[in-house]
Amino acid sequence: MAAAPVWSVDPRTGKQREQVAVEAAAQEVDAAVRAAHAARDALADRTVRAAFLRTAADELKAAQDTLVEAADAETALGPVRLTGELARTCYQLRAFAGIVDEGEFLGVVVNHPDDTATPPIPDLRRYKVPLGVVAVYSASNFPFAFSVPGGDTASALAAGCPVVVKAHPDHPALSELVAKVLRRAAARHDIPEGVIGLVHGFDAGIELIKHPLVAAAGFTGSVRGGRALFDAAAARPVPIPFHGELGSLNPVVVTQAAAAERAEAIGAGLAGSMTLGVGQFCVKPGLVLVPAGDAGDGLVKSLTDAVGATDAGVLLDHRMRDNFVAGAAERAALPDVESPVTPGSGGEHTVSAGFLTVPAARLAAGGEHDLLLEECFGPVTVVARYEDEAEVRGVLSRLPGNLTATVQISAEEAAGEGTGAALLAEVTPLAGRVLVNGWPTGVAVAAAQHHGGPYPATTSTSTSVGGTAVERWLRPVAYQGVPEALLPAELRDGNPLGVPRRFNGVLER
């Protein structure tokens, strides 16, 4: 049987643009994984790794015009958004290069023998080593930042792990172009091109997670797809870590005092956040608790005006468009649900933004309204009107894990008066990032960032954004009684590489 073609499709028209590849068969997946496995030694030198990451950023920047054009043709996200995303991706690669240079991520700890301890302590030296080949499953909504050159790839390479990327079908042509750029950067440092593998096709993704030489996986996508891969990773003869981002509602709670203080600004800010990127951000606020009464009414009016003025937009593919239209209609048809601005079809190839309102008591009670507590990918949010704090707690108690949770509070509450502190304590168990008087869309690449959360937001406690994302692809090893000459350089007494470490209980930098 001939291999299935992989087509690049224009989401603005639904028409095929070009055939860019064929779906990988099992033997081709095997070849890609084995080539990546063979490239491990080329990443062993941290100096080479850091230089490779910086060169990759330089090469991506140099190819910016070509890459952005290809990305826009396949995603309809627009040159401005895509140029910014590529810049973020280059910054991320350089940031990981700095982390590799510094060496703190290795977690070096040295203990000299201590016969006076109970029990006695032998000579012990601990640090972290790379796991091996990492399978990366690209996201649809961020063709640079969460795809072939994105955070999973960058952090894996920083850890010393080669990658094999399963390309997303929404941007296969871009994936091929970016893979070539990264391989060109690798070649400049005598790293085999197999360090960046790329495969296409659903079946290839399944073969990839099952391959015995794959040591870990990173995924960004749907709950259904991510859970299937997570289960497959756990069911292997040798289970492997699976770091998946699966879905998030990203709740927002607006206090009575905040609504009274700045209803118009909150409504306008919410509209901008929920429609950003045509509502295709993983941290889009999908559920907003707003007080009943005049102050909440003012917020809803502001939201109505802002969302009603939003132009129709193109989603990443027509399957997503059809799912959005059907999902919005199904939610709008529930009892006591109203549509101040009706979300749905904006035309043959577009969708229109909107939002739904519902009494919070309906959500707290469960039943058929549980559908409103599931993510609907696209430009729609649910505004739940609550009568009192008990209803807020009732709704929050029924939410699954999330990437983010946001509270909008008044100036007085921010100063420690009122319900602000209690509300923060209520939402903190729900999410990996908690915001006050901001909006969750936009995930800064920073050392203190955490992009993750309780299941189903993610399948692990790790972050996929920020410097500590590298920890996902490492495991600790302790050496006991090993002669100095046989130790890795990072663990030797003289610290010849100048790595930050804890030496006999004292932190050295």
Side-chain angles (χ1 to χ4, degrees):
M1 182 182 295
V6 174
W7 290 91
S8 173
V9 177
D10 183 349
R12 295 181 173 94
T13 65
K15 294 181 179 179
Q16 294 176 339
R17 298 176 59 247
E18 59 175 331
Q19 181 182 341
V20 298
V22 296
E23 293 187 358
Q27 60 267 30
E28 292 161 326
V29 174
D30 178 66
V33 174
R34 291 187 181 281
H37 185 73
R40 291 174 303 151
D41 289 348
L43 294 176
D45 188 317
R46 286 192 297 118
T47 302
V48 172
R49 290 209 305 268
F52 170 32
L53 291 168
R54 291 189 175 95
T55 300
D58 292 344
E59 293 283 354
L60 288 169
K61 176 62 177 176
Q64 174 178 296
D65 292 347
T66 299
L67 297 178
V68 167
E69 182 180 4
D72 183 51
E74 291 188 309
T75 68
L77 290 172
V80 173
R81 147 73 194 272
L82 291 165
T83 299
E85 187 185 329
L86 181 57
R88 176 192 188 279
T89 302
C90 292
Y91 173 82
Q92 184 167 241
L93 286 161
R94 294 188 180 102
F96 276 116
I99 288 169
V100 173
D101 279 337
E102 184 185 55
E104 185 178 6
F105 75 100
L106 294 170
V108 176
V109 182
V110 175
N111 280 121
H112 280 170
D114 184 356
D115 292 336
T116 67
T118 305
I121 297 172
D123 187 275
L124 287 169
R125 294 148 194 264
R126 180 185 190 270
Y127 81 151
K128 296 176 184 177
V129 298
L131 290 175
V133 178
V134 171
V136 172
Y137 292 82
S138 295
S140 61
N141 54 343
F142 286 89
F144 293 119
F146 286 84
S147 187
V148 178
D152 286 348
T153 296
S155 59
L157 293 172
C161 296
V163 301
V164 177
V165 182
K166 192 276 183 185
H168 198 280
D170 280 350
H171 38 82
L174 176 68
S175 298
E176 289 285 346
L177 288 173
V178 170
K180 290 177 181 177
V181 171
L182 297 181
R183 289 165 181 159
R184 185 163 65 241
R188 289 180 55 181
H189 300 280
D190 296 323
I191 298 172
E193 68 172 22
V195 74
I196 303 288
L198 183 68
V199 296
H200 299 267
F202 177 85
D203 290 343
I206 300 298
E207 291 292 333
L208 186 58
I209 199 70
K210 293 179 178 180
H211 198 287
L213 292 180
V214 168
F219 171 91
T220 304
S222 68
V223 173
R224 182 179 178 184
R227 183 54 194 254
L229 290 170
F230 174 69
D231 290 345
R236 290 168 38 128
V238 178
I240 60 172
F242 182 87
H243 300 284
E245 179 190 323
L246 310 189
S248 184
L249 197 60
N250 305 301
V252 178
V253 181
V254 182
T255 66
Q256 177 70 44
E261 184 177 85
R262 56 184 202 285
E264 184 175 352
I266 294 174
L270 171 59
S273 184
M274 59 156 284
T275 61
L276 185 65
V278 202
Q280 296 175 110
F281 277 48
C282 53
V283 288
K284 178 202 75 176
L287 173 68
V288 188
L289 287 152
V290 173
D294 292 344
D297 290 345
L299 190 158
V300 171
K301 182 183 184 304
S302 173
L303 180 63
T304 300
D305 293 343
V307 175
T310 303
D311 293 334
V314 177
L315 294 186
L316 292 159
D317 63 42
H318 279 59
R319 177 186 57 83
M320 291 182 187
R321 178 196 173 278
D322 293 345
N323 287 342
F324 171 76
V325 172
E330 185 179 6
R331 289 164 171 78
L334 291 169
D336 291 333
V337 172
E338 298 179 357
S339 303
V341 181
T342 302
S345 176
E348 183 181 0
H349 306 293
T350 60
V351 298
S352 59
F355 71 97
L356 310 174
T357 63
V358 66
R362 278 287 197 177
L363 299 183
E368 61 184 333
H369 287 77
D370 282 353
L371 179 63
L372 298 174
L373 302 182
E374 297 178 12
E375 180 183 12
C376 185
F377 192 75
V380 64
T381 196
V382 175
V383 175
R385 306 296 300 274
Y386 66 88
E387 297 290 343
D388 53 35
E389 293 177 17
E391 286 191 355
V392 173
R393 291 193 296 272
V395 173
L396 293 178
S397 71
R398 304 198 67 254
L399 297 186
N402 291 271
L403 293 169
T404 71
T406 301
V407 295
Q408 297 286 341
I409 59 178
S410 68
E412 186 176 77
E413 289 168 325
E417 302 294 328
T419 61
L423 186 55
L424 274 179
E426 193 82 24
V427 301
T428 295
L430 296 176
R433 179 162 58 105
V434 177
L435 298 90
V436 175
N437 292 348
W439 299 105
T441 37
V443 184
V445 179
Q449 185 59 273
H450 186 81
H451 188 63
Y455 185 86
T458 52
T459 60
S460 72
T461 59
S462 301
T463 180
S464 61
V465 179
T468 53
V470 70
E471 296 172 2
R472 297 175 296 169
W473 321 121
L474 298 163
R475 67 176 183 88
V477 175
Y479 292 87
Q480 180 173 332
V482 176
E484 176 90 1
L486 301 182
L487 284 168
E490 292 87 351
L491 299 181
R492 295 177 184 174
D493 281 347
N495 197 10
L497 302 183
V499 176
R501 63 181 186 169
R502 186 168 292 278
F503 189 83
N504 288 333
V506 178
L507 185 63
E508 297 180 346
R509 289 183 179 273

